[in-house]
Amino acid sequence: MMQRKELRGGAALTILPADQFKTSRITINFILPSDRQSATAFALLPSLLERCYAGCPDMTLLSRKLASLYGANLSADTSVQGENRVVSISICGIKEQYALHG
């Protein structure tokens, strides 16, 4: 059964339990007003997010980190919905009970 919890600042957490699967997915959606000034930056943001972050400054280190997490998958995307731009970041990996040593 879906659970939704309102957080601060207009953010919400939605949990959709699915015990029948061996993987879990976490997705973060940023819903932002769409305007001409930020269109290019938001279009490039998913590519940047898929390639590096402060703890893994290049794709090689990020790929190694994901591989060490049993082949976890990181993806980012952007879309326009009405007057808003939605930037989505997802990570998918196996559930703890299926990993070696939990």
Side-chain angles (χ1 to χ4, degrees):
M1 180 160 179
M2 183 176 90
Q3 301 167 9
R4 185 168 176 87
K5 180 179 179 183
E6 296 298 322
L7 305 174
R8 287 202 233 160
L13 173 67
T14 304
I15 300 171
L16 299 167
D19 296 330
Q20 69 269 29
F21 299 112
K22 294 180 181 168
T23 59
S24 291
R25 174 184 300 256
I26 297 171
T27 301
I28 300 171
N29 294 307
F30 297 97
I31 302 172
L32 309 157
S34 187
D35 59 26
R36 287 183 180 262
Q37 292 80 12
S38 60
T40 302
F42 288 144
L44 295 173
L45 186 59
S47 296
L48 181 65
L49 292 170
E50 285 181 319
R51 285 176 171 69
C52 63
Y53 70 97
C56 289
D58 63 48
M59 282 185 67
T60 303
L61 291 174
L62 181 57
S63 293
R64 286 183 188 155
K65 180 68 173 175
L66 292 170
S68 74
L69 297 170
Y70 302 94
N73 184 338
L74 176 69
S75 62
D77 192 23
T78 185
S79 63
V80 176
Q81 294 181 1
E83 295 181 1
N84 295 319
R85 171 148 321 255
V86 180
V87 178
S88 300
I89 306 153
S90 294
I91 188 159
C92 185
I94 66 170
K95 291 184 179 176
E96 286 182 281
Q97 66 259 33
Y98 299 106
L100 296 175
H101 313 294

